Amino acid sequence: MRCSAPPQRAAGCTGPAARRTQPLLAAAARHQRTSRPHSRGPAAALAPPQRRHRRPRVTAAAAPSAATGAADASPADAGAADAVADADAARLLAPAPGDAALIDSLLATPLPDLMREAARLRDEGHPRVVTFSPKVFIPLTRLCRDACGYCTFALPPAPGRRAFMTLGEVVAVARLGAAQGCAEALFTLGDKPEDRWPEAAAELRSMGYPSTLDYVAAAAAEVLRETGLLPHVNAGIVGEADAARLREVSASQGLMLESLSPRLAAPGGAHHGCPDKEAAPRLGALAAAGRVGVPFTTGILVGIGETRRERVEALLAIKRAHAEWGHVQEVIVQNFRAKPGTAMAAHPEPPLEELLWSVAAARVVLGAGMSVQAPPNLTPAAEAGEEEAGEAWRALIDAGINDWGGISPVTRDFVNPERPWPHLERLAAATAAAGKLLLPRLPVYPRYLLHPEPGRWLAAGGGASSIGGRARAAADGDGLLRGSRWFAGAADAETKAGDGDGAAARPRGEGGSGGAAPSGAAALSGAAASAAPPAGRPASPAPRTRPGAGWSIAVGPSGTLEGAAAPAEPQPEVAALLERILSGASAGASGREPGAPAAPRGRAPPRGAAATLAAARAAAAPAEAAHATPSEAARAGVELSEAEVALLLRARGADFDAVVAAADELRARVCGDEVTYVVNRNINYTNVCTYSCSFCAFSKGKGSEDLRGTPYLVPLEEITRRAAEAWDRGATEVCMQGGIHPDFTGDTYLRLLDAAKAGAPGIHVHAFSPLEVLQGARTLGLGLDAYLARLRSAGLGSLPGTAAEVLDDAVRATLCPDKLTTAEWLSVARAAHGAGLPTTSTLMFGHVEEDAPGAWARHLLALRALAAGTGGVSEFVPLPFVHMQAPVFLRGGARRGPTLRECVLAHAVARLVLHPHITNIQASWVKMGPERAAALLAAGCNDMGGSLMSESITKAAGAAHGQELTPGRMEALIRAAGRAPRQRTTLYGAPPPGQVARSFGAAPLAPAAAVRAGAGAAAGGVRL
Ligand code: SF4
C-alpha cells in the first residue's frame, strides 16, 4: 500500500494551505498558554470510571518489607492507593480551558495541513535528528493476569515450561546486545501474573522472590552490573514505592495508556476482562512515576475501537501529567495490528492515514519538545516491500515523529513477533531520504540524563556503577548514545580499532563492535554458550535471537552511524554560515605574519600584552611583522551569535565534514603549513589545595586523600634545579602551576618565580593560573594590577589560561562551585593583558554540561570578546575532560569526557569563531594522545603545544600520556601529517638557535625530588 498523504515541508508558507491551518494554530497556541502545571486542588468535575473490582495496591506509604525489600500493602493501604489513583485520574481527565477548541480544530483540519504543522513543530524541537534505541528485548515472564483481546504476548502456563526466565538467561541475552553495541535492556512482562496463576507464585517462591516486581528489580540490577546495559522496565501497573525501587536499577520505566475510553471495557471491547486497562490504575501509575521522579514512556494504541476524539483525550491526559511532574519523556503512537488466534483477529487494522493523523495530532497536542515515536516494524505497508516501507516511514517523519523507538539486532519484538524490526540500513536510508539523520539514543532522554542535579531523575547511589553513573558514561554531549570506545587520555593503541566511536549496520564477522564487550561473532558464541539453561530445567520462555539481523552499533568520528546512510549535503544554514565566515575571514588573513592575531579593537599600535606578543613575533619574523597592517575587516572578523556557534558545535555527518574543511581552509590561509611546538617543562609545585573542583584528581585536600598520590610540596631549590635542567635540555619555557595551598600568599608565588629564574635566567616563566593570581593579590591586599605588575617585574613572562574550565556559571556551579566566577576569570585575564602579560586560553569540556554546545559556544564567545578587546591571548587549547580518576566521574555525575567528534569540533569551531583575534589553535597530545593530536592538524590546528618534560595533572586523572614528547618525535608526527614543524617560544617567537640544538638528543631527566606535605614540610619545601 502506498501512502497517499503528501509530505509537507513548506515552513512560512502563506498560501491557501497555511490559511487552512490558522484555526488549528490559534487553538494550539491558546492551548499551550492555558496548559500550565496542573492544580493539585480539589478533584475535577469529571469522575473516573467506576472500578469493577479492587486489588491490593502498593502505595507510597507502604514500607518495603524488612525481610525481602518487597513493597507490600495492607487492604487499608490498598484502599487508600485506589483513592489516590482515582483522584489522579479525575484530575488528569478533567478538561482544561481550550481542550474542546483544540480537539475540534484537530478533527476539522485536513490531514496534509495537520502534518505540515506537526512537521514544523517537530523541526522546532528536533531539527535534524531522528533517534532510535538499540536494545535487547527481555520478556521476563509471559504470564499475565489480564487477557486483552489483541495480545499474543501473554501465554498461559504450560506443563514443563517455566514461568520466568532465569537470571542467567536474562544476562546472556543482555550480553548479546552489549556485544552489538546496544544500550537498552527492555524488560517487558505480564502484569503481576502471581495474582492469577498459582504456577507463577510458586516459581517466584522457589526462586526466593515475593513478587514479580521483586524479581524484575533483581534481574535489572543483574543486567546493569554484569553488562552495563541500561534497563527500561515495563512492569505494568506500578505504585510509588515500587516505581521508586525500580528507579534504583533502571534508566526509565513505561506503561502505555493505550486508550482511556471506558467503552473498550464493555463486552466485545478490546479491554474487556482487563481491569488493569481501566483509566484510573493506568493514570495512577503514570502519576506515581511522576511523583517519584521516573523518566517515563507512555503512549496510545490506534485502532482498537477508540475514536479520534478519544485518542486526543488520552493525549491530553498525558500532557496534563507531564505538565504536573515533567516526567513524560516520550509518547508512542502505536497502531493496532491484528493477530491470528486472538479475539480481535478479524478487527480491521487502521490504515496508514489513520496512523499519520494520530501522529500529527500527538505532535500538535504535545508540542515541539516532546518525543513522539512510531514503531517502524508495525507501520502499515511496511511488510509490502522495501519501497512501500520506505515511503510509509518517510510519511511518518513528515507527520511529526522524531523517534523510532527500540530496535534490536539480536532479539525479536516479542509483543509483535510476526513483525520483525527493520534492518538499520533500511531505516537509516528512509530517514536520510526525509533529510534527517538517524542516531542511536539511550533509553533515558537527554533532559533527564544531563540534568544538573545527578540524582534528580536517575538514581546516583553507587557512584559510577549506579544507573545514573552508567547512563552518563554512555552518553555524548547531546545526551545521545556515545557509541564509541574512544575517550580522552586513552592510549592510542587501545582505541584505534574502534574509534569508530564503534560499528553500525556492519555485517557480522567484520568486527568493530561499539563497546568494551567482545566483538561480533566471538561475543555471540560466548553469550550463546552462557545462555544455555541450567541442566534439567527447560527454558521455555527464554527468547530466541533473530538470526541474520546482521547489524551492530557504532558511531563514527563524524557523529553518524557507521555504515548507514546519512544526508549527503550540509544543511543550508550551516553551509551559509561557513561561507559567511570564510568570506569575512579572507580579508583578515592577509597582511599579517603567520599566526598573528588582529590588533585589538580601538588600539593601534598595540599595547600591553598585545605589544608583548607583537615583539615576540617580530623577533621571529621581522620582515613580515614590519609591514603587518591588519585591515578593518581583519580587526572585526565575523561576529557570530551564540546560536550560530552552537549550530557549528552540533555538526554531524556532512555538516561536520564541512565545518572541519572550513577550519582547515582558514588555518591554511592564516598559518600556512607551519606547525609549531615549544620545548618546555611543567613544574607543579604542590598538589595541596583548599578548593574542591569536582573534576580534579590532582589536588589533595579535605576528602581527596583516597585519590592517587600523596600530598607534596616541591622545595624551592628543586624548582631551581628543574628549571636549570630544563634549560640545559633545550627548553625555553617552564610552565608552573599548582594547587591553592592554604599557606600560600602572593609572596609565595614571587618566591617560586625567583627560584625558577635563579636556575635559568633566560627561560620564559609561564606561570600561575588566574585563580592563583587572584589568590596572590588577595592575600597581599593588593589590587590585581599592582600584583600583576610585581609578578612581571620579577620576571613572569605570561599566564596559562587555565582555571577557565567552561566560562559559564551554570556549569561552574556544578563543576567547581568555590572557584572564581566567569567574570572574575575574565577580569584577571584582562588585567594581565593590561600589565603586558599575555595569556593562553583553554576550554576543559565534556563532563557535566547540561547544554554542552550552548555552554561551549558561550565560552568561545567570551574568549573572542576578551581577545578582541585586548589582543593579549596567544593561543587557544581545548582540553578534553579525562574522566578515569576524576571525583565527579567516580561519583557517577559526569560523562566519560567528550567524544572524538566533540573534540575535533572544539578545535575546528574555535578556529572559525576566534579568528582573527586568536589565531593559534593547539592540539593537546597529553589529552588526545600523540596520533589523535596530529590528526587534529587537519581540523584547524597549527600548534602541538609543549614537549612537556614532566606532566602530572593529566596523569593524575588517569591519562596514558604526559611524559615528554621529544622534539624528534614531535617533528616526526608533524611531518607524517604532511606539515612543516617549527620550534617556537611561548609567545610564538623564534627560540635561540643554541636551545634548539640542545633540545635534540637531550640527556634523560634526573629523578625529581619533592617532600610529603604536612608536618615539617614547610622547612624542606616551599618556604612559606
Ligand atoms: S583544579 Fe586547581 S583549584 Fe581546583 S581542586 Fe584542582 S588544584 Fe585545586
Side-chain angles (χ1 to χ4, degrees), residues 687 689-693 695-696 698-699 738-740 771 805 819:
N687 61 354
C689 187
T690 55
Y691 284 76
S692 49
C693 303
F695 62 85
C696 179
F698 167 74
S699 71
I740 307 299
L771 179 64
E805 326 314 351
K819 215 166 187 171

Side-chain angles (χ1 to χ4, degrees), residues 610-626:
T612 310
L613 284 168
R617 284 191 303 273
E624 292 91 337

Side-chain angles (χ1 to χ4, degrees), residues 232-321:
H232 170 95
V233 179
N234 293 339
I237 305 294
V238 173
E240 282 184 35
D242 282 317
R245 193 152 54 103
L246 290 171
R247 184 181 180 274
E248 298 294 316
V249 292
S250 62
S252 50
Q253 299 174 41
L255 176 75
M256 292 285 282
L257 279 192
E258 298 193 3
S259 172
L260 300 176
S261 170
R263 295 183 306 99
L264 301 185
H271 289 162
H272 181 61
C274 312
D276 290 322
K277 297 293 170 78
E278 292 174 3
R282 292 187 104 67
L283 290 173
L286 182 60
R291 286 198 188 91
V292 298
V294 172
F296 205 72
T297 296
T298 188
I300 59 170
L301 259 182
V302 175
I304 56 172
E306 83 294 348
T307 65
R308 284 185 173 183
R309 178 178 293 276
E310 287 168 338
R311 258 173 247 156
V312 178
E313 286 169 352
L315 291 167
L316 287 168
I318 292 170
K319 183 176 184 177
R320 289 177 205 121

Side-chain angles (χ1 to χ4, degrees), residues 41-60:
L46 182 60
Q50 284 298 306
R51 196 75 51 79
R52 281 170 287 129
H53 59 89
R54 300 280 182 187
R55 296 181 304 275
R57 184 180 301 283
V58 176
T59 73

